[in-house]
């Protein structure tokens, strides 16, 4: 005997979930050696949240002293905060003389789709 259990895709990144299926012998009219039994089913969360910058290039001026960088969530939103470390690496601009290179932490709150750094 086999049967299908329908799984609902909730479109939310909320981690793997589990439920239990039990079997209980209802009739003893047949000669069956069976005890109650159970098994666990894991629903694997297949939604993936991915973060990236919303542009491949940002501009900041020396006069304003800052640049606004936006990080967005792609795919599905998360039911938990997403935290990322942002490292600032010099190319033609030099760390300490052109920009402050202290690593930053960006947190995108649960359910949100973007944050600014």
């Amino acid at each position: 005997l086999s049967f299908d259990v329908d799984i609902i895709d909730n479109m939310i990144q909320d981690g793997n979930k589990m439920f239990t299926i039990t079997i209980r012998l209802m009739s003893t009219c047949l000669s069956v050696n069976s005890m109650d039994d159970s098994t666990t089913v894991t629903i694997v969360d297949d939604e993936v949240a991915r973060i990236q910058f919303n542009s491949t290039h940002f501009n900041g001026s020396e006069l304003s002293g800052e640049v606004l960088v936006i990080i967005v969530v792609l795919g599905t939103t998360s039911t938990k905060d997403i935290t990322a470390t942002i490292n600032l690496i010099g190319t033609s601009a030099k760390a300490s003389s052109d920009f402050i290179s202290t690593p930053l932490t960006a947190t995108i709150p649960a359910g949100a789709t973007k944050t600014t750094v």
Side-chain angles (χ1 to χ4, degrees):
L1 172 68
S2 65
F3 60 94
D4 292 325
V5 176
D6 293 329
I7 303 297
I8 299 169
D9 188 354
N10 61 8
M11 303 299 289
I12 299 171
Q13 182 186 22
D14 55 357
N16 294 347
K17 304 287 176 120
M18 297 188 317
F19 66 93
T20 301
I21 300 175
T22 62
I23 187 170
R24 189 163 287 139
L25 185 61
M26 300 286 290
S27 172
T28 58
C29 64
L30 299 174
S31 177
V32 176
N33 292 328
S34 176
M35 298 174 54
D36 292 350
D37 196 12
S38 65
T39 189
T40 301
V41 176
T42 300
I43 301 172
V44 177
D45 187 14
D46 59 357
E47 282 80 29
V48 176
R50 191 177 59 142
I51 61 171
Q52 72 178 42
F53 299 109
N54 78 331
S55 177
T56 58
H57 186 85
F58 295 92
N59 290 313
S61 72
E62 291 176 339
L63 182 61
S64 72
E66 63 185 20
V67 59
L68 178 67
V69 177
I70 300 172
I71 299 172
V72 295
V73 178
L74 301 176
T76 184
T77 58
S78 178
T79 58
K80 298 178 181 177
D81 290 353
I82 299 171
T83 303
T85 300
I86 301 167
N87 295 303
L88 308 169
I89 302 165
T91 51
S92 64
K94 302 297 178 205
S96 300
S97 62
D98 292 315
F99 66 96
I100 298 172
S101 63
T102 304
L104 304 170
T105 300
T107 300
I108 301 174
T113 59
K114 68 179 180 179
T115 193
T116 58
V117 180

